[in-house]
Amino acid sequence: MPPARPDEPAFTELHEVTLAPVRSPQGPWGKHFFGAFDRNGQFLEGFAHPWCGVDAMPAAPIASYPGTAIYGGLAMHHVGHFLLEGLSRLWCLKNYPELPIIWHWIDLPIPHPDDRGWQKELIGLLGLAQRRHIFLRQPLRVERLLLPSPGFLSGQFLHPVQAAALGCVTGPAAIPGKRVWLSRSALPDQFGRVAGEDQVEALLAAQGWTIIYPERETMRRSAEIFREAEAVSGFIGSAFHTLLLHASPSARLRPIMRPGIPLTDYQIIAAAKGVDFAAIDAPMTALDQRASWTNFQLNAPTDLVNILTDY
C-alpha cells in the first residue's frame, strides 16, 4: 500500500536561496542535475526530485531576485508529468496570486513538442496565466522564497486539496451509452505505439464507439470527455491524466495496460476523483527496448474488442 499522505500540505519560508538550473545530459539516457542551496551552500532537501541528481553550488550566481517568489517545481513539455508532478504544488500557487512563480525547466530525453499550445492553455485554465513565470536557465539567488510541499507524490498520494485545485473544468452533460476510445495510433513512433490498434478502433467504431485522438484536442475538451462519456478506454498513458482537470468526472475507466507502465498513479487519481477504474490486460509483444516508450504489437485485437463489449 502507498505511504500515508500528510494531513495537510504546508510551505516553508526560505531566505537567500541559490537555485541552479537543470543540467541535462548530452545523450538521451544520462542523468539530469540541478540545485537549490541555502546561504551556506547546503542542498535543500525540500527541492529534491527523483529525476535529478544534485549539482554543485554555483560559484557566483549571475542574477538575483530581490523580493519574494514562490517555487512551482519541475516543469516540462509532457502533459501527464506536468499535470501530476510539475503542478504538484498548485494547491499553494493559487493561494498567492501576487507572487511570481519560479520553475526548474527540464528538457526530456524524448522531445515532446507543444505544437498546439496545450501548456499555455492549461496555465490559463488553472488561473495562472496572469502570473509572472520565471523559468531557470541560469543560476538565480532569491531573497525570499516560499517552498510548498507537493500535493502529489508519484506512487504515494494525491492530497484532496491538490485534486480540488486541479479540477477546473465543469460540464458538459453526460451522454448515456457514449463510449470513448482514446487513441495512440496517430502519435509519433517514439511515444509508444501499439500495432494493431487501428483494427481495434475499426471494430469499436462499428459498435458505436467514438474514437478520439487526445493530442488533437484542447485541454478543456480532453477533460470534458471524462464527464460526457459513460465509459472511456484506450491504451494507458497521459491521456487518462486529464481526468484530473474535471471537477466531477463520472466515466467508467477501462484502460488497457502497456507493459512497463506502472498502474499506481492511475489508481491514485481515480480514487481521488471517485471514478470506477479497472485496468484490462491484453497480450502484446515488444517491438523494441525503450521502457515507457516501447512500441508493441497487440497479439489479438479481436479478443480485446470482445472484452470491451462488456463495458
Side-chain angles (χ1 to χ4, degrees):
M1 294 295 291
R5 62 171 172 78
D7 290 334
E8 291 298 332
F11 68 85
T12 304
E13 181 178 327
L14 302 169
H15 297 269
E16 298 300 323
V17 178
T18 299
L19 301 171
V22 177
R23 179 167 56 87
S24 297
Q26 296 301 309
W29 304 114
K31 192 172 182 63
H32 300 268
F33 293 88
F34 77 151
F37 307 94
D38 65 18
R39 61 187 65 181
N40 298 316
Q42 298 298 308
F43 181 72
L44 295 161
E45 291 295 334
F47 291 84
H49 194 283
W51 291 8
C52 298
V54 178
D55 215 342
M57 170 75 172
I62 57 176
S64 62
Y65 186 82
T68 301
I70 189 167
Y71 183 69
L74 196 67
M76 72 292 290
H77 277 322
H78 186 291
V79 172
H81 285 298
F82 186 60
L83 263 173
L84 291 178
E85 298 172 281
L87 290 167
S88 67
R89 296 171 170 87
L90 181 67
W91 69 268
C92 191
L93 301 182
K94 286 189 168 184
N95 294 336
Y96 294 88
E98 75 283 3
L99 295 182
I101 304 171
I102 297 179
W103 305 89
H104 273 108
W105 182 269
I106 187 168
D107 293 316
L108 300 177
I110 302 295
H112 287 65
D114 183 13
D115 296 332
R116 78 181 194 273
W118 67 262
Q119 199 158 48
K120 181 178 180 180
E121 182 200 354
L122 177 57
I123 290 297
L125 283 175
L126 294 171
L128 303 180
Q130 303 306 313
R131 306 284 288 275
R132 180 186 176 190
H133 297 269
I134 301 172
F135 296 96
L136 291 167
R137 293 296 187 182
Q138 60 183 8
L140 180 69
R141 178 167 290 163
V142 184
E143 180 181 3
R144 178 174 177 263
L145 184 64
L146 302 187
L147 173 63
S149 61
F152 168 84
L153 282 178
S154 181
Q156 298 185 46
F157 66 84
L158 172 61
H159 198 283
V161 298
Q162 173 69 7
L166 286 164
C168 58
V169 174
T170 59
I175 300 177
K178 181 168 185 175
R179 295 174 294 177
V180 168
W181 176 265
L182 300 178
S183 174
R184 299 182 66 86
S185 64
L187 289 173
D189 287 343
Q190 69 265 29
F191 292 160
R193 297 272 296 277
V194 179
E197 183 174 13
D198 56 343
Q199 299 174 53
V200 172
E201 292 174 4
L203 292 168
L204 290 177
Q207 294 182 16
W209 285 62
T210 300
I211 311 301
I212 288 178
Y213 304 92
E215 70 275 11
R216 301 175 184 174
E217 302 292 337
T218 65
M219 295 302 291
R220 176 179 291 278
R221 183 62 189 144
S222 295
E224 289 175 344
I225 289 164
F226 294 99
R227 177 67 183 182
E228 183 178 88
E230 188 173 282
V232 177
S233 187
F235 294 108
I236 202 163
S238 292
F240 285 89
H241 290 332
T242 53
L243 168 77
L244 283 166
L245 295 176
H246 205 285
S248 56
S250 56
R252 299 190 305 275
L253 305 186
R254 296 296 182 265
I256 315 305
M257 296 300 299
R258 287 189 292 143
I261 307 295
L263 192 59
T264 305
D265 286 345
Y266 297 90
Q267 294 170 322
I268 289 173
I269 293 168
K273 287 296 188 176
V275 296
D276 180 354
F277 179 96
I280 297 171
D281 285 317
M284 56 184 73
T285 303
L287 299 177
D288 50 47
Q289 300 296 321
R290 285 185 293 175
S292 298
W293 300 288
T294 301
N295 292 300
F296 290 93
Q297 173 69 56
L298 184 64
N299 294 352
T302 302
D303 290 349
L304 175 56
V305 171
N306 290 337
I307 293 172
L308 290 171
T309 300
D310 295 333
Y311 295 108

